[in-house]
Amino acid sequence: MAQNKWANDASPVRSVETVDAMVRSVQWDRVAIYLVSIENGPSVLIKDKRPHLIGARATIERVTRDNGSIFYRFPE
């Protein structure tokens, strides 16, 4: 698993797309892990140190790397 994470982190970002979503829940373990429902799509988990209101609409980013891996994040 760690090797895959390192390979993904080393791959350059190809594109960043803005996506509408809603924050559904949160779990705290040093860093918050948010369950976010993408509008017209699946739910994803996003780690973030900043607080986000449960039930609030949010804009998140879908990040695609050159190696094809995709992850989601809250914009900075």
Side-chain angles (χ1 to χ4, degrees):
M1 275 308 244
Q3 287 179 338
N4 287 342
K5 181 180 178 346
W6 295 327
N8 288 340
D9 289 346
S11 181
V13 171
R14 180 181 357 153
S15 66
V16 178
E17 176 185 351
T18 302
V19 179
D20 292 326
M22 180 177 284
V23 178
R24 295 293 181 184
S25 66
V26 63
Q27 177 181 343
W28 289 95
D29 184 21
R30 294 189 188 112
V31 172
I33 301 172
Y34 292 92
L35 176 65
V36 180
S37 295
I38 297 173
E39 193 170 292
N40 300 320
S43 295
V44 295
L45 297 173
I46 302 175
K47 287 184 180 181
D48 200 42
K49 293 181 180 179
R50 299 166 293 171
H52 300 279
L53 186 62
I54 294 172
R57 295 210 167 269
T59 301
I60 60 174
E61 295 176 338
R62 179 179 189 230
V63 180
T64 305
R65 294 192 178 272
D66 277 344
N67 67 359
S69 67
I70 297 171
F71 69 94
Y72 294 86
R73 65 183 181 197
F74 289 103
E76 298 209 12

